[in-house]
Amino acid sequence: MVELNIDIPKGFLDEETRSDFRVSQKIKEVWAVELDLMAEFDRVCKKHDIKYVVSGGTMLGAVRHHGFIPWDDDVDLMMIRDEYEKLCAIGPSEFKHPYFFQTEDTDKGYMKFFARLRNSDTTGIQKKEASSRYGFNQGIFIDIFPMDVVTDDKEKFKKQSAEARQMMQKVYEACNWGRHMPNSHDLKYKIKKNIIFPIFGSLIENFINPNKVFHQYMDICKMYNGEKSEYYSLLSFEFDHDVHYIKQKDMENIIDIDFEFLKVPIIANYDEALRWKYGNYMEFVKAPNYHGDMIFDTNMPYKKYFETHQFEDE
């Protein structure tokens, strides 16, 4: 396994059964890399007084399992937009190799509306994207989501939502013509990427600028930040999905909780938040995570993995 900067407790990497689910040594190694990323992220956030909390399945795992959900393999963190923008300002200089702070601004072609912290000496490729061989960093990662204000005015929110959908379509169109295209075997992408873009790329990106429309979409999500309302949500991730709603007042009361052999910050009102998101969250449900199937390698950098492996189109 790749060298890490945290001390792994004796026996942590051993295969074991948790909640009647067999956790392999391979997944334990992935967890170890992610815990190392969490520890480094926490160090930088504390240094710059940036507040964040665990989110989604990581919040659920912290409360129900005091660590990872046994059948899960990812980490989700979230912070209000102001804190997120502070992080984006210092992240590129604070995180040193093998850590890589990834946004569309630090890694052109990433084109996601949230950040990731990656370990560049490992491989963490979403299987559905493997054959596309995207050029952005694809080391093992943790997700960091910005939270934006959900306006209490339903008409304003409806209009904002419509604008977000329209802009998202422009983002997709821009990605399909710019440098963000996948390295696919699909003929239409081969023609675009190998013939049209090399000749007309600069003109195309001036006319359909992926980075510009990306930030225009983000501006729509941030439209009502600073407004007094009841909720934040992960608007830039899933705009209309109220399962991501978190009460604004809950972000003012944060406590620490055990997560494996680390301590992580969580909203003190986690019970209400988890019931809103999962219902009876103490009941075990073995559901797939957002990323789908992953290709993990804790010994090989993602660049070398791409060089030495073939992938079929999904």
Side-chain angles (χ1 to χ4, degrees):
M1 187 176 69
V2 68
E3 185 177 345
L4 302 177
N5 290 319
I6 54 171
D7 294 325
I8 306 296
K10 185 177 181 180
F12 177 79
L13 296 176
D14 295 344
E15 184 174 298
E16 67 172 312
T17 298
R18 294 189 180 189
S19 304
D20 296 324
F21 186 86
R22 196 68 176 166
V23 184
S24 68
Q25 180 180 340
K26 179 180 179 180
I27 291 301
K28 285 292 200 70
E29 290 181 356
V30 173
W31 286 1
V33 174
E34 292 173 347
L35 288 164
D36 182 69
L37 289 166
M38 291 174 75
E40 176 64 7
F41 183 79
D42 186 70
R43 181 193 69 80
V44 170
C45 285
K46 284 177 176 172
K47 176 180 176 181
H48 292 274
D49 193 27
I50 295 172
K51 296 178 177 61
Y52 73 96
V53 293
V54 291
S55 171
T58 308
M59 183 194 300
L60 175 59
V63 173
R64 195 174 67 189
H65 302 276
H66 307 297
F68 287 97
I69 298 172
W71 42 92
D72 201 6
D73 55 28
D74 73 338
V75 170
D76 297 322
L77 310 174
M78 63 183 179
M79 56 180 62
I80 61 174
R81 177 69 69 171
D82 285 351
E83 301 293 293
Y84 181 81
E85 292 185 345
K86 284 167 58 179
L87 176 69
C88 289
I90 59 94
S93 59
E94 280 289 348
F95 294 107
K96 309 295 185 184
H97 186 86
Y99 307 110
F100 178 72
F101 182 69
Q102 184 177 50
T103 66
E104 171 59 15
D105 291 322
T106 66
D107 199 359
K108 301 300 183 188
Y110 169 64
M111 288 301 286
K112 290 181 174 60
F113 300 97
F114 53 92
R116 281 177 172 163
L117 184 62
R118 295 197 185 248
N119 184 316
S120 301
D121 289 340
T122 65
T123 296
I125 304 169
Q126 291 181 240
K127 197 170 184 180
K128 62 186 178 184
E129 296 180 348
S131 63
S132 297
R133 295 177 177 271
Y134 289 109
F136 56 79
N137 189 306
Q138 294 188 69
I140 293 173
F141 60 87
I142 60 175
D143 289 329
I144 306 114
F145 296 98
M147 305 166 67
D148 294 301
V149 168
V150 179
T151 177
D152 288 337
D153 187 317
K154 289 183 171 53
E155 285 303 312
K156 283 163 59 175
F157 183 78
K158 184 177 179 181
K159 182 179 178 182
Q160 183 189 19
S161 179
E163 290 179 11
R165 284 194 297 272
Q166 291 173 3
M167 187 55 65
M168 180 58 74
Q169 185 59 40
K170 290 184 179 181
V171 171
Y172 289 144
E173 291 171 0
C175 288
N176 284 333
W177 276 104
R179 68 182 71 251
H180 305 77
M181 284 185 291
N183 296 310
S184 174
H185 296 299
D186 187 283
L187 182 59
K188 69 177 181 180
Y189 282 112
K190 279 188 172 182
I191 293 172
K192 285 181 181 180
K193 196 171 189 76
N194 299 321
I195 300 175
I196 298 176
F197 190 75
I199 300 173
F200 301 107
S202 296
L203 182 63
I204 289 169
E205 289 205 329
N206 283 333
F207 184 68
I208 308 175
N209 187 317
N211 192 261
K212 181 179 178 180
V213 294
F214 173 90
H215 284 286
Q216 287 174 337
Y217 178 79
M218 297 286 269
D219 287 341
I220 292 171
C221 295
K222 297 188 289 184
M223 188 178 296
Y224 297 110
N225 287 354
E227 181 176 293
K228 264 300 185 184
S229 72
E230 188 173 3
Y231 293 106
Y232 293 117
S233 188
L234 310 183
L235 298 183
S236 57
F237 175 58
E238 287 184 323
F239 197 97
D240 292 324
H241 208 329
D242 65 4
V243 72
H244 302 302
Y245 281 22
I246 296 289
K247 289 183 176 178
Q248 287 194 25
K249 64 181 181 181
D250 287 344
M251 289 299 293
E252 298 170 5
N253 189 8
I254 297 172
I255 60 174
D256 285 338
I257 192 171
D258 290 330
F259 191 91
E260 301 298 340
F261 50 86
L262 301 179
K263 292 278 189 182
V264 296
I266 189 172
I267 58 172
N269 192 23
Y270 59 76
D271 179 71
E272 183 178 349
L274 287 171
R275 291 187 186 281
W276 172 263
K277 189 174 181 72
Y278 298 108
N280 179 13
Y281 64 86
M282 295 304 290
E283 179 182 355
F284 291 175
V285 178
K286 294 182 175 66
N289 66 35
Y290 165 76
H291 305 116
D293 290 338
M294 294 290 302
I295 299 170
F296 287 121
D297 195 313
T298 58
N299 296 292
M300 185 180 295
Y302 69 97
K303 289 182 179 180
K304 185 174 181 181
Y305 197 96
F306 274 126
E307 290 173 358
T308 56
H309 290 75
Q310 297 294 321
F311 306 99
E312 296 294 329
D313 285 332
E314 288 290 312

